[in-house]
Structures are given as C-alpha cells and as structure tokens.
Amino acid sequence: YTFAIRDNAGGEYWNSIFTDYPGKAMSIEDLGSGEDSANRLATGDLAFQTNLWFGFGGGSSFADLVDGAAAETILTGTGNTFADPQLAGISRTADGGLDPRPLASSPAHAGAMDVGDDWFDDVVYLGAFQHDLWINGWTAIDEAGFIGDLRVAVEEIDSAVPQSLLLSQNYPNPFRQSTSVEFQTPEAGAVRLAVYDVLGREVAVLVDEDVASGTHRVSFDANELSAGIYLYRIETPRGVQSRTMTLVK
C-alpha cells in the first residue's frame, strides 16, 4: 500500500499527486471498537482532499484501490480524482530520467484548494512544484544521478509540419500563476523562447534547445514574479516573434 494507516492515526493530505505504485493505494484500519483510523477519517481528523491518483497496479478507481467502503465514499466526495498527471519523467535508476514536473497539458496545473492556513502558499497547481524542481541541487537523488536536464519540458502536441513560424497567445491570459505557450516551427532546429519584463530584463528561459518541426507547448510558472505585463519572445532560424502576457496576483 502507498498508505497503510493504522492505530488511530490522523493527518491531512491536500493537493498532492500519488502515482506509480505496483499495489493498492490505501488501507485504513477499521476495528470493531471504533478506536481506529477509519473513525478518524469519518470525523475529519484524517483527510485526503483534492489529490490526484494514477498508475497503481491494483486498478483505476477507489473501489479497486482502497480497502473499506466508508473510505471509498469519503475519498470520492472530497475532490480526489484519478487522472494521468503527465509527468515529464519517472525513473528508478540513475539514468537522468527523473523529472516529476507536470507537462503543460497536465491536469495537475489546476484544481488545488486553499487549505485554510496562512502558513501555506495559496497555489492553483497540485504537487510540490510546477516549474522549479525542489529536489534539484541538494538531495541524494540528485547527487546519485537520477535527475537529468531540468529545462522546462517541451511537449509536442502536433507533428504535422506547419507552413510558417507562429508564436501563439499564452493561455490563460491574464493568468494568476501559471500559463502555457504554444508555438509552431516549420523546420527542426534551435529554438529559444524567453520571457522579459517591461524594462527588457530576461526573467525566464522556457526553451533553449533543438526542437523538431511541428506544434509544441511549454508551461511557464510565474509564481516568483510580480504582477504586471511581460513580453515573451521566440527566436528560430526562420525568424523572431514576440507577444505580451499579463500576470495578475
């Protein structure tokens, strides 16, 4: 089990992603005495709220993955969903393939709820990160070589070759924290997509690599930036285009 909760345990799990496990998702102890974690779940002292679940060997619904009908009912009614988080890469070997940040099309980019505690940041995305990867630079996982190139993942959404270069308007726009940018390039080659403030200072690089021809999408997390208007600019051998985006707080 991902969670084997026993002995009258409590706690709250909000806005998280649970994925890639060969067995069931959860076992919640339910004793005849009522002094157990199932009772804590029923009273709200144990809570699972607006989490995303995917990739369990036991099945693809709470009926398959949670022991106990009461637990299944409670979890279904508190915003927990089964959906592919579309993570950039999962690996259990030191091959540089681990990058658990969600792709631009991932459902994890929305749906988070305010936990009602000012100690926590109020975010819209699920999981512990969106653009930056918090395990990079200091963890044993990084030092052992599990994490590879941490540029923002570029997602190909259409391999058909377009007639010309096109930088689309970001969506959503205006946006509170994160947004997606699509671009089309008619030939494979170097692509650089960067974001600038109104003074022309570069504040983020979203793409700086060779990209295949076709239509692509990349996510932009502006959580650390101030509200305002920003310019984003794409540079390729076929030309240069730019647009503006509006960040609100």
Side-chain angles (χ1 to χ4, degrees), residues 15-114:
N15 304 327
S16 297
I17 300 172
F18 303 113
T19 187
D20 198 43
Y21 186 74
K24 286 193 172 186
M26 190 182 306
S27 172
I28 298 178
E29 189 176 65
D30 191 355
L31 304 176
S33 66
E35 296 295 326
D36 51 41
S37 50
N39 183 61
R40 299 292 294 275
L41 182 67
T43 59
D45 295 320
L46 173 63
F48 291 83
Q49 179 74 52
T50 55
N51 301 296
L52 192 154
W53 309 75
F54 185 76
F56 291 88
S60 58
S61 71
F62 287 117
D64 298 328
L65 299 183
V66 178
D67 286 341
E72 176 194 341
T73 300
I74 291 171
L75 293 175
T76 303
T78 54
N80 293 277
T81 58
F82 280 91
D84 186 351
Q86 301 176 35
L87 304 182
I90 294 177
S91 177
R92 291 185 172 85
T93 62
D95 60 358
L98 177 63
D99 185 352
R101 295 173 298 173
L103 297 174
S105 58
S106 169
H109 285 289
M113 293 186 65
D114 185 354

Side-chain angles (χ1 to χ4, degrees), residues 135-204:
I135 57 178
N136 181 41
W138 64 279
T139 63
I141 291 176
D142 181 33
E143 292 178 359
F146 285 82
I147 303 172
D149 188 345
L150 293 183
R151 289 173 292 186
V152 175
V154 179
E155 179 185 8
E156 182 181 79
I157 58 177
D158 191 345
S159 61
V161 179
Q163 296 296 313
S164 60
L165 174 68
L166 175 64
L167 178 63
S168 298
Q169 185 65 53
N170 64 296
Y171 180 82
N173 187 57
F175 66 103
R176 280 189 59 216
Q177 181 170 328
S178 65
T179 189
S180 296
V181 176
E182 291 187 9
F183 62 91
Q184 297 178 352
T185 178
E187 62 186 29
V191 172
R192 193 173 198 275
L193 176 60
V195 181
Y196 304 85
D197 65 17
V198 292
L199 298 178
R201 297 174 298 194
E202 185 177 277
V203 297

